């Protein structure tokens, strides 16, 4: 079983500069309010979250001597920086539609500020490694099953696939840094439990707010279909129960979920244009 990051894995940011539809179609994901707003609610949390991830890895950069990991840290910081930038434009489009994005952002900002003030740098890094696992397992599902983005606005599909690809590429960076600086599993597991709780809570509050603005908060069909899409027999989140739990195994490493082939396949979609022409 793999318990390390594949040797020679390159992590390079891609400059995308998405041309977001303006206005953003309110239900850009297949005309479905629940699906669209679940993605929206997560997206709003990303810019602040990703800045926190960058900071918490940066705090330990000087302690890392392995040149390969140092290169991956650079790639990780570049990728998360670009994600933040694109998701901020996304947030502005949501604001234009009348959603109280600032309130959602402030909730995340407050929580991050508290974490940075009250917890040690090591615990902050543990939180980052944990949250990166959550993004990694969601990214895997999104890339693996094309149906998850079926019917979505093409540019939005592209944005989420790009983000999922890069989350897959750098999924073990914070984890490897945490290990190299002697982080222990108990703190890591605790960080995961707390992080999961707040991530679900903040995403849910964002989703509920946007559904309320759409006049759909009390529409039982929206919830029935949405929850079925998430947790039903073929549900998008179903396969993640196992991969989520794996994080709590004593010898867990993110690349034990070896999706390198999926990563290579997805790269072809994005990197074709940048490959040097054959001589
Ligand atoms: Fe990201
Ligand atoms: Fe990430």
């Amino acid at each position: 079983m793999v318990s390390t990051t594949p040797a020679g894995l390159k992590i390079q940011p891609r400059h995308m500069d998405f041309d977001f539809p303006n206005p953003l179609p309110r239900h850009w994901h297949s005309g479905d309010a629940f699906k669209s707003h679940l993605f929206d609610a997560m997206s709003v949390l990303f810019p602040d979250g990703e800045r926190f991830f960058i900071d918490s890895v940066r705090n330990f950069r000087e302690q890392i001597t392995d040149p390969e990991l140092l290169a991956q840290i650079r790639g990780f910081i570049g990728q998360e920086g670009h994600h933040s930038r694109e998701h901020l434009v996304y947030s502005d489009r949501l604001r234009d539609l009348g959603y109280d994005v600032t309130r959602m952002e402030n909730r995340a900002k407050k929580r991050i500020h508290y974490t940075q003030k009250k917890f040690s740098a090591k615990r902050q890094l543990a939180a980052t490694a944990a949250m990166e696992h959550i993004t990694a397992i969601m990214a895997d599902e999104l890339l693996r099953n094309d149906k998850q983005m079926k019917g979505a606005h093409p540019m939005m599909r592209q944005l989420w696939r790009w983000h999922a690809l890069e989350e897959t590429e750098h999924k073990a960076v914070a984890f490897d840094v945490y290990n190299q600086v002697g982080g222990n599993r108990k703190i890591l597991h605790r960080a995961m439990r707390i992080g999961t709780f707040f991530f679900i809570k903040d995403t849910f509050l964002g989703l509920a707010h946007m559904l309320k603005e759409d006049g759909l908060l009390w529409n039982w069909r929206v919830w029935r279909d949405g929850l079925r899409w998430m947790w039903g027999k073929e549900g998008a989140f179903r396969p993640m129960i196992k991969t989520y739990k794996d994080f709590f195994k004593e010898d867990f490493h993110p690349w034990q979920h070896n999706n390198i082939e999926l990563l290579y396949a997805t790269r072809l979609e994005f990197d074709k244009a940048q490959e040097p022409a054959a001589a």
Side-chain angles (χ1 to χ4, degrees):
M1 190 176 267
V2 202
S3 56
T4 54
T5 300
L9 177 70
K10 290 255 178 310
I11 299 173
Q12 261 159 1
R14 296 166 183 82
H15 303 237
M16 298 304 283
D17 230 344
F18 286 105
D19 193 8
F20 280 83
N22 196 4
L24 179 71
R26 204 170 279 273
H27 301 152
W28 58 267
H29 195 327
S30 38
D32 185 312
F34 189 98
K35 285 186 194 178
S36 306
H37 294 329
L38 186 75
F39 280 96
D40 295 344
M42 288 194 276
S43 172
V44 167
L45 303 175
F46 287 156
D48 290 297
E50 287 169 326
R51 252 177 261 133
F52 167 73
F53 299 164
I54 292 173
D55 289 344
S56 54
V57 168
R58 228 182 230 148
N59 285 338
F60 288 92
R61 184 150 59 169
E62 271 159 30
Q63 294 180 37
I64 303 297
T65 50
D66 173 3
E68 196 163 351
L69 184 53
L70 279 168
Q72 291 178 344
I73 291 173
R74 258 194 314 278
F76 164 78
I77 290 174
Q79 289 189 335
E80 294 295 37
H82 283 290
H83 301 168
S84 281
R85 215 186 56 181
E86 296 301 323
H87 282 270
L88 278 175
V89 182
Y90 187 165
S91 294
D92 282 341
R93 292 292 193 274
L94 292 170
R95 223 184 302 268
D96 291 344
L97 294 174
Y99 302 115
D100 193 351
V101 172
T102 306
R103 190 157 146 234
M104 292 182 242
E105 287 171 340
N106 285 343
R107 210 179 280 133
K109 278 189 183 39
K110 241 168 99 182
R111 182 131 34 241
I112 289 167
H113 185 69
Y114 180 85
T115 308
Q116 289 182 318
K117 230 175 91 187
K118 296 273 177 191
F119 294 99
S120 69
K122 195 67 87 52
R123 281 179 196 261
Q124 293 174 37
L125 182 61
T128 296
M131 297 319 289
E132 286 284 282
H133 179 60
I134 294 185
T135 54
I137 60 177
M138 291 194 296
D140 179 80
E141 176 61 19
L142 192 142
L143 297 177
R144 194 173 294 280
N145 287 322
D146 209 35
K147 68 169 188 212
Q148 305 307 359
M149 275 286 140
K150 208 169 157 225
H153 182 286
M155 195 241 90
M156 298 299 279
R157 175 180 180 275
Q158 181 86 342
L159 166 88
W160 284 104
R161 286 184 71 79
W162 160 71
H163 198 156
L165 168 63
E166 297 198 344
E167 288 307 317
T168 306
E169 286 178 326
H170 72 231
K171 67 177 174 175
V173 175
F175 192 94
D176 287 342
V177 173
Y178 184 74
N179 269 346
Q180 290 214 3
V181 298
N184 79 51
R185 295 278 166 151
K186 206 173 146 205
I187 287 175
L188 187 65
H189 296 168
R190 194 177 144 75
M192 180 56 121
R193 280 188 284 267
I194 299 170
T196 306
F197 173 78
F198 286 115
F199 179 65
I200 292 175
K201 183 176 175 223
D202 288 348
T203 305
F204 177 81
L205 289 173
L207 167 67
H209 165 72
M210 289 186 267
L211 288 176
K212 189 172 171 213
E213 289 297 304
D214 293 357
L216 294 170
L217 184 61
W218 303 108
N219 185 314
W220 71 274
R221 268 193 203 89
V222 167
W223 286 96
R224 179 199 62 191
D225 294 349
L227 291 172
R228 193 178 284 162
W229 167 69
M230 285 180 85
W231 301 109
K233 233 187 186 165
E234 304 265 294
F237 284 73
R238 264 269 172 117
M240 293 175 218
I241 297 173
K242 187 195 170 298
T243 47
Y244 173 81
K245 281 189 183 157
D246 285 344
F247 189 82
F248 295 94
K249 289 182 181 160
E250 269 317 304
D251 68 340
F252 174 76
H253 183 275
W255 280 101
Q256 278 171 6
H257 299 147
N258 191 352
N259 53 0
I260 194 86
E261 293 301 327
L262 184 63
L263 186 158
Y264 289 150
T266 314
R267 269 183 183 170
L268 294 178
E269 235 174 85
F270 289 91
D271 298 343
K272 232 184 272 171
Q274 281 130 46
E275 273 170 21

